[in-house]
Amino acid sequence: MDALTLPLTSTLIKAQDLRRYFPFKKGLFGREMALKAVDGVSLEVAEDMVLGVVGESGSGKSTLARMVTALDRPTSGDVLFRGKSVFKMDRHEMKQFRRAVQIIFQDPFASLNPRATVFDTIAEPLRIHRLAEKKNIEGKVAGLLKDVGLGPEILRRYPHEFSGGQRQRICIARALAVSPRLIVADEPLSALDVSIQAQILNILSGLKKRDRLSFIFISHDLRVVEYLSDEVAVMYLGKIVERSGAERLFEKPLHPYSTGLFASVPAIKVKEMSGALPEKMKIAEELKKEAPKGDIPSPIDVPPGCPFHTRCPKRFAPCDKVVPPLMEPAGLPGRLVACHLWNPY
Amino acid sequence: MSKEAISAPLLDIKDLNISFQQAKGDIRVVNSVSFSIPQGTIFGLAGESGSGKSLTALSIMGILPGSAKARGSIRFKGNEILNLSDGKMRSIRGKEISMIFQEPMTSLNPVLKIGYQVKEAMLAHLPVSKKEAQNRAIELLRSVMIPSPEARMNDYPHQLSGGMRQRVMIAMAIACNPSLIIADEPTTALDVTIEAQILDLIDKLREERNLSVLLITHDLGAIARHAHTVAVMYAGRIVELAPVSEIFSGPKHPYTIGLLESIPFKNKKGVPLKPIPGSVPPPWALPPGCKFSDRCGFMIPACQQAEPELEEITSGHFSRCIRAQEMKWTL
């Protein structure tokens, strides 16, 4: 029995207490230290669900993506795909896993082979997984290109002939070629102009509806994550600090970091104007005050206790000593937050 | 002083054209751009990559690449500064007008200490002693809210985070008390919480020092929060220019509307976005007439017959569209 014919459970992929430490030495004879890129992350993605992962640079989003797709092994913890550990799979099971879980990277300029034509790029996974007969393969590739809004006239062309948006479409077509169940998209829009971003976003959400695909959608762009996600995990310095349904999270973030992160995104809205023009738009000042002060600490030197306490406007006694666990706050079922304010124990 | 002189804008650009000279003929990348920035205000220049925003900025600083040629007029404090001689421009650049670039790591010298780099412009432009420059540099670092500035003076750029480096860039930019700062995508390389801090800092300095700022960005959110006036550029042209409150409450050009439609808003969850179809054509393959016509949902045959002028629709609100009056889009 292979991974794809296992009985359908609603949980597609599950990460259990994932940790990834990168050891390094400080100075020539210094002691061994560890950069804790991901430090105890658990999450699950159900069928037909989009999990958004937000956080700033150094929060461990990309390392998490690499472990969930088995491109990197965790220091400890496990990734279960339909109940089976991906790090204990045999060759055959691994091939099935690789087919079911696809990844799209940030930089479409670096993730296509410059010497392969569009046809070769998209046909390769079809050949490896024997998903099309030789005589049908061209039609199948053209069909995949159509799904992402590209025409068959580009089949014999090379990546350098395309714009960033077109290349990202080609990357999506390549990921779709093997009919995956889960697509891990690591900042797929951030190299693109805003009007092109919207085109790609429409393609992704259209595919989600059509094929009932699951996504882990990693982005620093909160507007996009809010638009696309069913559930959202907020990461900070290797930990998930808050996780809940997208709507409720954006409606009322619980963790002070989430609040601050959301407050940092300038709202595009029009409020009442006064005085002579040019007049600046009035923005929600109360939100502006909550934007986090100071710098993100280096992941080499994560503060003790709550990793956010150095920037937190609401810190109190236990914050710099005790690491708050990610748990359900009283009276808010279905939500998870790692903050002493919400977890009085 | 007459009333006109008081209200005369600090920077006044008229009919700016920039072209690259190629063997096959000139390629025009900035086309009759005109705008002005009054003292103490932030002017936002928005548009996607290749729209000509950065070249416009470089021409104000007089640092266009060698193969580019600029024509038209850029008046700063009433004096023409376009195509000024290198020597004359040097006395303005860094002193009267300074610039903050996108990537603070590549715009700071990695082998020189922060303190030296902040002092450099002051020693070049101002009659100050080394000691005075040292003290002023510390004050500048303090004013951009760098913690323990005395200690940071002896750091090298690699010892600072991206946000701190951008603060150093801002300290350098204001070192000689300029009246205009050009910020070209100053926060694109930074995280959102740091981006908010940097833009708030620029805004605070503007208010304290009565600076004018030309803020170049592709982020309409940053414009909405910080700018007074905004110009949207497409294919080397300003297609819409208006007070910021106007442009977000009632945009009058289909391209601006397309940009706003491309941003996912809270209330539109699950509804497909309406992005602008296609992509920006290269400057040698623009359509006849209106340069946006090949991607525009409002296109009528008249659009491709002649290029529309940038016309005033309501007071202070300009649009380069023959159907501007019909645009009824709201947020």
Side-chain angles (χ1 to χ4, degrees), chain B residues 185-233:
Chain B
E185 303 268 7
T187 56
T188 310
L190 305 175
D191 279 312
V192 269
T193 57
I194 310 299
E195 169 176 10
Q197 293 172 4
I198 295 291
L199 289 174
D200 285 348
L201 173 65
I202 293 177
D203 210 357
K204 180 170 159 274
L205 293 169
R206 170 199 66 84
E207 215 169 310
E208 287 169 1
R209 294 163 179 250
N210 199 24
L211 282 167
S212 300
V213 180
L214 175 59
L215 176 66
I216 298 175
T217 179
H218 64 277
D219 181 357
L220 291 174
I223 296 227
R225 186 182 264 189
H226 295 283
H228 297 83
T229 316
V230 53
V232 179
M233 284 187 79

Side-chain angles (χ1 to χ4, degrees), chain A residues 138-327:
Chain A
E138 186 145 339
K140 180 116 202 227
V141 172
L144 288 161
L145 284 176
K146 190 163 172 265
D147 288 346
V148 295
L150 295 170
E153 70 281 357
I154 66 160
L155 281 172
R156 305 287 161 213
R157 287 164 62 185
Y158 289 90
H160 74 265
E161 300 175 61
F162 299 102
S163 66
Q166 288 169 316
R167 286 183 214 205
Q168 202 58 293
R169 287 168 194 254
I170 295 166
C171 290
I172 295 170
R174 175 177 62 185
L176 290 175
V178 294
S179 317
R181 296 314 309 150
L182 171 71
I183 291 183
V184 177
D186 188 1
E187 299 270 13
L189 307 177
S190 47
L192 309 173
D193 268 321
V194 57
S195 70
I196 309 299
Q197 283 187 9
Q199 295 173 1
I200 302 292
L201 204 51
N202 272 353
I203 291 172
L204 293 177
S205 57
L207 290 169
K208 183 208 163 198
K209 274 198 201 110
R210 192 193 73 181
D211 298 345
R212 299 172 62 78
L213 277 175
S214 299
F215 281 90
I216 295 180
F217 190 86
I218 297 174
S219 178
H220 67 279
D221 187 334
L222 295 164
R223 292 194 194 103
V224 170
V225 168
E226 180 175 13
Y227 176 77
L228 204 62
S229 307
D230 302 309
E231 197 169 304
V232 175
V234 182
M235 287 188 76
Y236 188 74
L237 288 173
K239 289 188 165 66
I240 291 181
V241 295
E242 181 163 5
R243 205 179 105 201
S244 75
E247 218 160 292
R248 291 202 286 166
L249 178 67
F250 284 96
E251 191 64 38
K252 185 179 188 296
L254 301 180
H255 198 283
Y257 177 63
S258 316
T259 315
L261 190 63
F262 299 171
S264 300
V265 179
I268 299 180
K269 58 182 170 192
V270 185
K271 286 198 147 189
E272 75 289 352
M273 299 297 149
S274 61
L277 298 171
E279 175 78 24
K280 287 182 60 151
M281 286 179 54
K282 306 279 183 291
I283 58 138
E285 291 294 333
E286 70 279 7
L287 275 182
K288 206 166 154 180
K289 279 190 206 111
E290 299 195 42
K293 308 281 182 293
D295 255 345
I296 309 164
S298 156
I300 292 172
D301 206 6
V302 177
C306 171
F308 187 58
H309 84 260
T310 54
R311 303 172 76 197
C312 184
K314 293 184 174 159
R315 69 159 177 263
F316 60 111
C319 295
D320 59 347
K321 294 176 195 74
V322 187
V323 182
L326 186 67
M327 53 191 275

Side-chain angles (χ1 to χ4, degrees), chain A residues 127-143:
Chain A
R127 290 193 187 115
I128 289 172
H129 291 279
R130 297 174 204 278
L131 295 174
E133 287 182 45
K134 207 165 182 182
K135 59 179 194 309
N136 299 336
I137 211 160
E138 186 145 339
K140 180 116 202 227
V141 172

Side-chain angles (χ1 to χ4, degrees), chain B residues 113-133:
Chain B
K113 289 177 178 171
I114 297 302
Y116 177 84
Q117 301 193 51
V118 178
K119 282 185 286 186
E120 196 178 16
M122 285 188 279
L123 292 169
H125 287 298
L126 304 178
V128 290
S129 68
K130 281 188 175 170
K131 182 92 183 70
E132 282 169 315

Side-chain angles (χ1 to χ4, degrees), chain B residues 21-316:
Chain B
Q21 290 165 309
Q22 306 254 305
K24 286 180 228 158
D26 288 2
I27 291 171
R28 200 182 275 195
V29 286
V30 171
N31 215 309
S32 52
V33 162
S34 303
F35 63 87
S36 58
I37 309 182
Q39 186 87 44
T41 65
I42 298 189
F43 187 91
L45 201 51
E48 298 181 284
S49 28
S51 60
K53 324 184 281 295
S54 291
L55 284 169
T56 303
L58 295 180
S59 70
I60 301 168
M61 287 292 279
I63 48 173
L64 280 173
S67 55
K69 249 198 146 63
R71 285 184 298 106
S73 159
I74 301 178
R75 297 182 87 83
F76 175 72
K77 292 187 172 169
N79 302 314
E80 182 61 47
I81 58 164
L82 184 63
N83 301 326
L84 216 57
S85 74
D86 276 357
K88 282 187 179 147
M89 198 62 214
R90 205 167 293 145
S91 65
I92 296 174
R93 194 190 297 141
K95 183 166 186 286
E96 299 274 357
I97 307 175
S98 56
M99 188 153 178
I100 304 166
F101 293 92
Q102 176 172 2
E103 180 37 84
M105 195 58 208
T106 52
S107 22
L108 286 167
N109 188 328
V111 299
L112 296 176
K113 289 177 178 171
I114 297 302
Y116 177 84
Q117 301 193 51
V118 178
K119 282 185 286 186
E120 196 178 16
M122 285 188 279
L123 292 169
H125 287 298
L126 304 178
V128 290
S129 68
K130 281 188 175 170
K131 182 92 183 70
E132 282 169 315
Q134 172 81 12
N135 292 337
R136 283 180 71 158
I138 293 171
E139 278 319 302
L140 283 166
L141 293 183
R142 204 187 309 280
S143 69
V144 295
M145 289 178 281
I146 289 180
S148 45
E150 292 86 354
R152 293 284 88 78
M153 289 285 282
N154 292 316
D155 280 356
Y156 290 94
H158 76 267
Q159 294 171 286
L160 303 181
S161 67
M164 282 300 149
R165 281 184 214 132
Q166 200 58 296
R167 287 174 193 271
V168 172
M169 288 299 298
I170 295 171
M172 288 164 64
I174 59 172
C176 297
N177 285 320
S179 26
L180 174 67
I181 287 186
I182 300 171
D184 189 359
E185 303 268 7
T187 56
T188 310
L190 305 175
D191 279 312
V192 269
T193 57
I194 310 299
E195 169 176 10
Q197 293 172 4
I198 295 291
L199 289 174
D200 285 348
L201 173 65
I202 293 177
D203 210 357
K204 180 170 159 274
L205 293 169
R206 170 199 66 84
E207 215 169 310
E208 287 169 1
R209 294 163 179 250
N210 199 24
L211 282 167
S212 300
V213 180
L214 175 59
L215 176 66
I216 298 175
T217 179
H218 64 277
D219 181 357
L220 291 174
I223 296 227
R225 186 182 264 189
H226 295 283
H228 297 83
T229 316
V230 53
V232 179
M233 284 187 79
Y234 182 80
R237 288 140 174 92
I238 290 179
V239 294
E240 186 162 6
L241 191 158
V244 74
S245 51
E246 286 263 325
I247 211 152
F248 291 108
S249 58
K252 293 279 180 249
H253 193 283
Y255 177 65
T256 315
I257 295 172
L259 285 181
L260 288 166
E261 289 275 355
S262 297
I263 302 170
F265 284 103
K266 242 187 177 60
N267 53 354
K268 293 196 184 148
K269 185 152 180 160
V271 183
L273 300 170
K274 285 181 261 168
I276 305 163
S279 52
V280 186
W284 54 86
L286 294 171
C290 170
K291 302 308 166 202
F292 185 61
S293 58
D294 58 339
R295 303 175 70 193
C296 181
F298 294 88
M299 209 262 280
I300 50 173
C303 293
Q304 298 208 319
Q305 263 138 41
E307 180 164 6
E309 296 290 320
L310 189 64
E311 275 181 65
E312 193 160 10
I313 310 299
T314 53
S315 169

